[in-house]
Amino acid sequence: MTRSVYVTSIERGDGRQIVELGVMELLTRRVDRVGVFRPLVHDGPDRLFDLLRSRYRLTQDPATGYGMSYDEASTVQAEEGTDELVSRLVDRFHALARDYEAVLVLGTDYAGSQLPEELALNARLANEFGAAVLPVVGGRGQSAESVHTEARNAHRAYAQLGCEIPALFVNRVTPADREEVRDQLAAHLPVPCYVLPDEPALAAPTVAQIAQALQGTVLLGDDAGLARDALDFVFGGAMLPNLLKALTPGCVVITPGDRADLVVGALAAHSAGNPPIAGVLLTLGERPGKEILALADRLAPGTPVISVAGTSFPTATQLFTLEGRLSAATPRKVETALGLFEQCTATGELLDQISAPRSTRITPMMFQHQLLERARADRRHVVLPEGTEERVLHAAEVLLRRGVCDLSLLGPVDSIRKKAADLGIDLGRARLVDPTTSELRDDFAARYAELRAHKGVTLDLAHDVVADANYFGTLMVEQGLADGMVSGSVHSTAATIRPAFEIIKTATPKAGPGTAAGGEPAAAPIVSSVFFMCLADRVLVYGDCAVNPDPGARQLADIALQSAATAERFGVEPRIALLSYSTGTSGAGADVDKVREATELARARRPDLPIEGPIQYDAAVDPVVAATKLPGSAVAGRATVLIFPDLNTGNNTYKAVQRSAGAFAVGPVLQGLRKPVNDLSRGALVGDIVHTVAITAIQAQEPG
């Protein structure tokens, strides 16, 4: 039976899109097929519905996502009565629900819809849909006592109308009152109550939104600059020294267009990171000359400079009525909203409360969600040596906003800050370290010289070596100043993992289930890698596609067992296929014999694992082919861990599948080191970096 969750409220201004987004995030962690239904809609685009479809890759036809328009609903209710209105909406809902395991219902928005008793309508629809109700109460500008009273009244109103209420949310509470409100509600409500503080970054309009609302002309700025949040407005009319004192982080400077001194001064302050501003808004329709604009562009590339026709007062009046919106065009706000929701909500408890069904398989999206959730559950510290790389900075912002892990970024600190300021990225909670000037450099040099003394490394040479960001980051991990490291977006694989081989070294072999009678351990001290290949309907593990060029039979067996352990650690049930160009006993030759021997060695070490080899790729993953080529096999047609015979085959196969099948590849994930260090593809996207860092943090949670 489809399980539905109905998010609703009691009035406008509650900011409940945060809760709707957060609940959707939770449902897609556990459920494969989630639908979205909005009973009543306004004319024009539905930004939240479009956001949910885009972010969660929903295949749902937009036409199925709503019941009817508000105008139509008012007419039906007036002419035919509430029962007829509800009946039609219930029919539309069930037409959608039969195709999904769970449905998120977005309640009405109390936006002057002409519908009487709107709260009662939401309650009745929830009951008719068989949906659990999550009421949201807004607390902006209210005292703790007022919020407490309103939340209790909301719970009582929906409970008296027969609704199932697994939890209640209070949003936009004054941060200083949050604990008091939470404690009061915990003492007086029979259900969990989650209290979210007011977050300025969510209420702040973006610079792009300001330009659109004021019909401004963008003179300078790129997409990243226009996506910045306008956290404050500073009006410039005084002399430059006084303006500089008034600047605040994330502010928009508003000044007449003929004040070139203030424009240049504000952008120069931004360039120095003191403080980073969101942009400059020029009034009166005046524009600086070409020379000033060229200088401004050189001072702060990407920072928006916008011209509007109005004077300062009407411009200010419009600005103060603008409020930020969650949409597919504001991904940074989305990450902030999800981070706030996850920080303030016991997500596991809520999922249990709403009784969301659990899918029997792990989809790629579920896998990606689980990575972030597991990393967040036991936060670790990851060092990123490529601190000035744009993709790394964007990934760092996502990781920090979502609370996935703590971060150190390496590189010239002023350069990192300037780059972050140009991108509008807040790195306030990250640790920034310059390896060349760090007070740790001398100690690290002494440690590296000690570790490499047998190779003739002197202290002077070590002092130079540890200035390299990858060596410095690896030593941070080795010395316990970070739990793991991720690099490789601009460095080669060798540059990333060589320091790990020299400093961290391989893990001590551990005996596992099925250790051979002779006492041979379950894994040998070899470093290998896997990719998590997120296909449309499943997650496969490919190994080794990045490290070992031509492993022998014993090494291949080691790689298979390491890969099985990694798969199991990340929720993929290991069924191991050692691949070759022939299946079973059909072929012979040195290459096939190597795979056959590796299979026998792996089975001897871990007889508890399903292992098949040699086997061709099609027989490993296609049940129809498997039935012909290897009938009766526990692995054939169902393999989840695919081990390639050499690096040439593995690397080309993963890239072919990634590009041709549209697979999302996470990795390479290194296995076999004492502490986690992971490499990135130099073509890694921001999402790739985020998920690789999450994997690294999860690896660091394992006892050494």
Side-chain angles (χ1 to χ4, degrees), residues 517-535:
E520 189 171 7
I526 182 177
V527 174
S528 64
S529 72
V530 296
F531 280 88
F532 289 97
M533 302 298 294
C534 300
L535 305 177

Side-chain angles (χ1 to χ4, degrees), residues 312-632:
S312 294
F313 182 76
T315 297
T317 302
Q318 285 183 272
L319 287 175
F320 289 126
T321 64
L322 293 178
E323 187 167 341
R325 297 188 295 257
L326 293 177
S327 72
T330 58
R332 295 170 61 203
K333 283 190 186 298
V334 171
E335 299 298 345
T336 299
L338 286 172
L340 185 67
F341 179 87
E342 290 160 346
Q343 177 187 348
C344 300
T345 306
T347 54
E349 175 187 61
L350 180 59
L351 271 172
D352 291 339
Q353 289 285 336
I354 62 179
S355 303
R358 186 180 294 276
S359 293
T360 57
R361 63 193 180 100
I362 297 178
T363 67
M365 182 169 290
M366 291 164 66
F367 176 74
Q368 294 167 36
H369 288 336
Q370 288 172 13
L371 290 181
L372 302 187
E373 186 176 18
R374 288 182 59 186
R376 188 185 302 109
D378 184 10
R379 283 178 63 144
R380 298 292 161 150
H381 191 116
V382 179
V383 57
L384 306 176
E386 298 160 325
T388 57
E389 165 59 30
E390 181 173 330
R391 290 165 295 160
V392 171
L393 288 169
H394 280 299
E397 182 179 41
V398 173
L399 292 160
L400 292 170
R401 289 189 179 215
R402 297 292 298 277
V404 175
C405 61
D406 298 319
L407 293 175
S408 287
L409 281 77
L410 305 186
V413 173
D414 288 344
S415 297
I416 295 174
R417 285 180 175 151
K418 183 179 186 305
K419 186 74 171 180
D422 289 340
L423 297 170
I425 289 172
D426 178 15
L427 296 176
R429 289 169 289 169
R431 181 168 62 183
L432 309 183
V433 181
D434 185 347
T436 63
T437 60
S438 170
E439 59 186 15
L440 297 170
R441 185 175 176 182
D442 289 343
D443 290 341
F444 281 2
R447 177 58 176 160
Y448 182 71
E450 176 188 353
L451 291 170
R452 303 296 289 171
H454 64 290
K455 293 292 186 179
V457 174
T458 64
L459 187 59
D460 286 343
L461 177 58
H463 196 264
D464 292 336
V465 169
V466 301
D468 177 270
N470 282 320
Y471 275 93
F472 192 94
T474 304
L475 280 157
M476 287 181 66
V477 176
E478 195 265 345
Q479 291 290 290
L481 300 175
D483 300 304
M485 184 180 92
V486 174
S487 187
S489 67
V490 293
H491 290 98
S492 67
T493 294
T496 298
I497 67 176
R498 185 185 298 113
F501 288 157
E502 294 178 1
I503 296 167
I504 292 178
K505 304 180 181 177
T506 56
T508 303
K510 296 179 180 179
T515 299
E520 189 171 7
I526 182 177
V527 174
S528 64
S529 72
V530 296
F531 280 88
F532 289 97
M533 302 298 294
C534 300
L535 305 177
D537 60 348
R538 54 187 156 168
V539 177
L540 300 178
V541 176
Y542 283 10
D544 175 8
C545 303
V547 179
N548 297 284
D550 188 17
R554 185 172 296 277
Q555 290 178 314
L556 206 56
D558 297 338
I559 293 167
L561 297 181
Q562 287 180 333
S563 301
T566 298
E568 194 166 27
R569 178 183 300 171
F570 290 94
V572 178
E573 181 182 354
R575 294 186 291 272
I576 308 155
L578 284 89
L579 301 175
S580 179
Y581 60 78
S582 75
T583 295
T585 59
S586 65
D591 292 337
V592 180
D593 291 342
K594 177 181 80 168
V595 175
R596 183 174 291 113
E597 182 184 352
T599 303
E600 293 169 355
L601 288 169
R603 283 173 173 165
R605 295 176 188 170
R606 290 293 303 274
D608 58 307
L609 290 176
I611 303 173
E612 191 65 74
I615 184 171
Q616 292 161 287
Y617 191 100
D618 58 349
V621 300
D622 189 323
V624 175
V625 176
T628 301
K629 291 189 174 183
L630 211 60

